[in-house]
Amino acid sequence: MNFFPICSIESKSVALFKIINMILHTDLSKYGFLQLKKDREELISQINELQALLDDFNFVYPFYKNIYEPEIEIFTKDEIYYGQFEVNYPYAPEPIKFDFIIGEKSLFEGKNDLILISESNRIASEILKDKFPLHFKDDNSGK
């Protein structure tokens, strides 16, 4: 029985519903128990395979998320807005921090100013493209 092949979430939900339905209508004889035991062991095996795959994704996901969706902290010092973000490089013992100047405080209407946020995203993107050019070599869209 292949309950969870690598497929869409929707089909996995249907498979899970079938499993629950099967358990509720299980033959209460020893044969039913043995079938349930076999199905359970197969399900555990598939879960372990998927967990191993997820662990592989989780190894590099933080790095890519920091590259393509950096979480920028905006703060002020001496009437200047600064930005800061980190990149969790997979083999680095500590995240790499990047600090940058956004502009004078008087140019913006506060930390929630959309222009300030947009400018911080633009600058962070330039820094990332400069520091990690191989990750942007096919990016001609300007996004």
Side-chain angles (χ1 to χ4, degrees):
M1 221 184 276
N2 191 5
F3 290 117
F4 292 106
I6 295 184
C7 54
S8 73
I9 297 295
E10 184 177 310
S11 62
K12 290 178 184 177
S13 297
V14 169
L16 184 58
F17 175 77
K18 288 179 182 178
I19 292 168
I20 292 169
N21 195 34
M22 178 191 70
I23 290 170
L24 294 176
H25 295 97
T26 297
D27 178 2
L28 298 177
S29 68
K30 185 166 185 171
Y31 171 79
F33 164 72
L34 294 175
Q35 185 63 43
L36 184 65
K37 181 179 177 182
K38 176 183 166 219
D39 291 346
R40 181 181 178 276
E41 289 170 358
E42 186 171 326
L43 183 58
I44 288 171
S45 173
Q46 290 178 19
I47 288 170
N48 290 338
E49 288 176 28
L50 289 173
Q51 183 63 53
L53 183 61
L54 180 60
D55 291 344
D56 289 343
F57 284 173
N58 285 341
F59 179 70
V60 296
Y61 180 78
F63 173 70
Y64 283 110
K65 182 165 181 13
N66 292 155
I67 294 290
Y68 299 113
E69 297 177 353
E71 293 181 18
I72 303 165
E73 178 187 345
I74 297 173
F75 58 95
T76 59
K77 182 179 177 186
D78 300 327
E79 298 299 313
I80 303 280
Y81 274 111
Y82 292 88
Q84 181 181 67
F85 65 93
E86 295 180 345
V87 173
N88 294 301
Y89 199 76
Y91 297 104
E94 303 258 337
I96 303 166
K97 290 188 179 190
F98 295 94
D99 297 313
F100 56 94
I101 295 172
I102 304 169
E104 292 181 24
K105 193 173 179 181
S106 63
L107 297 174
F108 306 101
E109 296 179 14
K111 280 188 177 183
N112 295 326
D113 185 334
L114 294 179
I115 297 171
L116 173 69
I117 294 167
S118 177
E119 185 65 5
S120 69
N121 286 328
R122 184 190 66 74
I123 295 169
S125 180
E126 287 178 7
I127 292 169
L128 289 164
K129 286 178 182 180
D130 181 57
K131 299 295 182 184
F132 302 96
L134 294 177
H135 295 284
F136 297 95
K137 66 181 178 181
D138 296 330
D139 184 12
N140 295 323
S141 64
K143 293 181 181 177

